[in-house]
Amino acid sequence: MKKNKSKSVVHGSDRVIEIVMLLVIIVFLIIVLYPLYYVVVASVSNPYDVYAGKTFLFPSGFTLEGYMRVFKEKAIATGYLNSIIYTVLGTVISTALVVMTAYPLSRKELPGKKAIMIFFIITMYFSGGLIPTYLVVAKTGLLNTVWALILPGGVSVFNVIVARTYFEGSIPQEMYEAADIDGCGNMKTFLKIVLPLSKPIIAVMVIFAMVAFWNDWFTSLIYMSDKNKYPLQLALRQILIQSQASANAMSGMDGGYAEANRITELIKFASMVVGAVPMLIAYPFVQKYFEKGLMVGAVKG
């Protein structure tokens, strides 16, 4: 009887811990999701009601004017297409470079790999700066091309470290030994054995690169002068600046500034949603690989 009581007490305490953990997860989920929900609600609400705190949970003064004004601009379609091209191309190149860099660094037989890693890590803390980087891009003829957005930041040292840790901890040494016995060279081992076992970490590298390239607007601002090559984020920025300029120009008119400012706020919130939706759609497709690869690649052993 005492054993049964102790077991029931243990099960009861486990149940309490599970409930507490579930409540904690729900609280964190709300904290993470509410800002996005609020932006969506604000994008279809009257800005004055947003400022008055009337859109805490539900839209107030429902309107789609912000979205209509955003999508009325031809630059949006061009920006979407450019961003998709830059993101896909940049993700493929960046992921390939990171994986091909991390794999040799994970092999014990690579001579001087510690010195190479030190060289890589130094670049995480020190760089030439904006002006020297711009001069390099200009002298190599990359200005106003897609390569200016991809090549200078094509290899993330952080991603290399995560991928290297995954290769070291998740690919058994026996697999390499068996490949050597079967006569596989380094390239064949990499293509036939390592890559098929590395889907989780590749998914992590893909999502990291995809989000980075999709959200990057500052690089385009520096290196792109042709508006037809602007990515979506830079196109949205230009639309928002134009709407703010219009509001300032109408400040001297009775009621003009208030109306222009209302439209500017609608465009601002709508732009946030328009820029975030593609990544929100893409993430679920790689989520299961992303979670597994991130955890395994972040902890050695």
Side-chain angles (χ1 to χ4, degrees):
M1 292 292 292
K2 289 183 178 179
K3 290 183 178 180
N4 290 336
K5 282 185 178 180
S6 62
K7 287 183 179 179
S8 63
V9 171
V10 171
H11 288 308
S13 62
D14 289 343
R15 185 63 177 170
V16 171
I17 293 174
E18 290 177 358
I19 293 174
V20 172
M21 292 301 296
L22 180 61
L23 292 176
V24 171
I25 291 173
I26 291 174
V27 170
F28 275 102
L29 184 64
I30 293 173
I31 293 173
V32 171
L33 291 182
Y34 179 73
L36 178 61
Y37 173 77
Y38 179 80
V39 170
V40 173
V41 170
S43 68
V44 294
S45 300
N46 188 324
Y48 300 127
D49 291 342
V50 174
Y51 295 144
K54 297 180 180 179
T55 57
F56 183 73
L57 290 176
F58 303 103
S60 177
F62 184 84
T63 176
L64 295 175
E65 185 177 1
Y67 290 98
M68 289 188 292
R69 287 186 175 266
V70 168
F71 285 106
K72 184 175 69 174
E73 299 287 339
K74 294 181 180 179
I76 294 299
T78 304
Y80 254 115
L81 180 60
N82 290 338
S83 285
I84 291 172
I85 294 173
Y86 301 159
T87 301
V88 171
L89 188 60
T91 299
V92 171
I93 293 176
S94 178
T95 303
L97 291 175
V98 166
V99 171
M100 288 190 295
T101 303
Y103 171 67
L105 292 172
S106 69
R107 302 299 302 272
K108 295 180 180 178
E109 57 268 28
L110 178 68
K113 76 172 190 175
K114 288 187 178 180
I116 297 173
M117 276 308 305
I118 291 174
F119 174 79
F120 274 108
I121 292 172
I122 288 174
T123 65
M124 294 180 66
Y125 301 99
F126 304 98
S127 66
L130 180 59
I131 295 176
T133 304
Y134 181 88
L135 293 176
V136 170
V137 172
K139 292 296 183 180
T140 51
L142 300 180
L143 283 181
N144 210 34
T145 68
V146 61
W147 305 113
L149 311 181
I150 296 174
L151 295 183
V155 177
S156 167
V157 177
F158 173 79
N159 291 354
V160 170
I161 294 173
V162 173
R164 185 203 62 172
T165 305
Y166 178 91
F167 291 139
E168 288 178 342
S170 300
I171 308 296
Q173 185 63 30
E174 291 77 11
M175 298 289 289
Y176 297 123
E177 295 173 358
D180 289 338
I181 294 173
D182 291 339
C184 292
N186 287 326
M187 184 58 69
K188 192 171 184 180
T189 300
F190 176 68
L191 295 176
K192 298 292 185 180
I193 297 176
V194 176
L195 284 185
L197 296 175
S198 303
K199 289 181 181 178
I201 198 63
I202 291 175
V204 173
M205 298 299 103
V206 166
I207 198 71
F208 279 176
M210 188 167 58
V211 172
F213 281 109
W214 182 266
N215 291 330
D216 185 20
W217 63 271
F218 186 68
T219 307
S220 302
L221 181 65
I222 297 172
Y223 300 128
M224 288 290 186
S225 58
D226 186 353
K227 292 185 177 181
N228 292 324
K229 296 182 179 180
Y230 279 0
L232 175 64
Q233 287 71 23
L234 203 54
L236 291 172
R237 177 179 178 272
Q238 292 298 111
I239 293 172
L240 185 59
I241 289 175
Q242 290 173 6
S243 64
Q244 290 174 337
S246 299
N248 293 331
M250 298 174 67
S251 60
M253 300 171 57
D254 292 337
Y257 177 77
E259 177 62 17
N261 187 61
R262 183 185 72 85
I263 295 173
T264 299
E265 292 301 312
L266 285 172
I267 292 175
K268 179 176 69 177
F269 287 116
S271 300
M272 294 180 189
V273 177
V274 169
V277 164
M279 290 297 100
L280 295 176
I281 294 174
Y283 178 74
F285 293 100
V286 294
Q287 180 181 5
K288 64 177 182 178
Y289 294 116
F290 176 74
E291 293 174 352
K292 180 180 177 183
L294 184 61
M295 293 303 297
V296 176
V299 181
K300 185 176 180 179

